[in-house]
Amino acid sequence: MTAVLTLDSSGRLVLPKCFRDKMHLQAGARLRVDMVGDKLEMRQDDAPVKLVRRGKRRVITGWVGFDAAKAVREMREDQVARLEAPFHK
């Protein structure tokens, strides 16, 4: 995916919805931006995930709004699309 983004007068960018959906980003998501040479690399910052005890069980917390089933479906769809793409030499 490729997009051309424009800075507003306060220096902000808006990520297109398709990017936010692909990375499962919601309002308040933290992104890490690194300058590598003359390029910017952006990736999701690791969320503070914890293992807590709830009764007799241990539960992972910190993944607010993450839909694992949807993520797996999307990964499978991406893989199928790559496998169905014509091979170019």
Side-chain angles (χ1 to χ4, degrees):
M1 273 190 265
T2 302
V4 176
L5 307 178
T6 303
L7 288 172
D8 70 6
S9 61
S10 297
R12 295 176 292 214
L13 294 172
V14 175
L15 293 178
K17 184 173 183 339
C18 60
F19 285 37
R20 296 189 314 262
D21 289 346
K22 182 88 172 163
M23 293 187 66
H24 309 286
L25 297 174
Q26 296 180 349
R30 295 169 44 108
L31 300 173
R32 178 178 302 276
V33 180
D34 297 311
M35 183 175 271
V36 180
D38 63 345
K39 298 179 182 181
L40 296 177
E41 289 184 359
M42 189 179 311
R43 61 189 158 130
Q44 194 167 2
D45 195 27
D46 296 330
V49 177
K50 300 179 207 167
L51 189 63
V52 297
R53 184 174 287 275
R54 294 219 175 125
K56 294 184 179 183
R57 298 181 182 181
R58 292 179 185 232
V59 179
I60 296 175
T61 63
W63 285 345
V64 177
F66 180 73
D67 184 347
K70 180 179 176 186
V72 169
R73 274 193 309 275
E74 289 175 356
M75 286 176 19
R76 286 182 181 159
E77 290 168 3
D78 287 346
Q79 185 177 17
V80 167
R82 282 194 310 275
L83 291 172
E84 291 177 343
F87 179 72
H88 297 285
K89 285 189 176 186

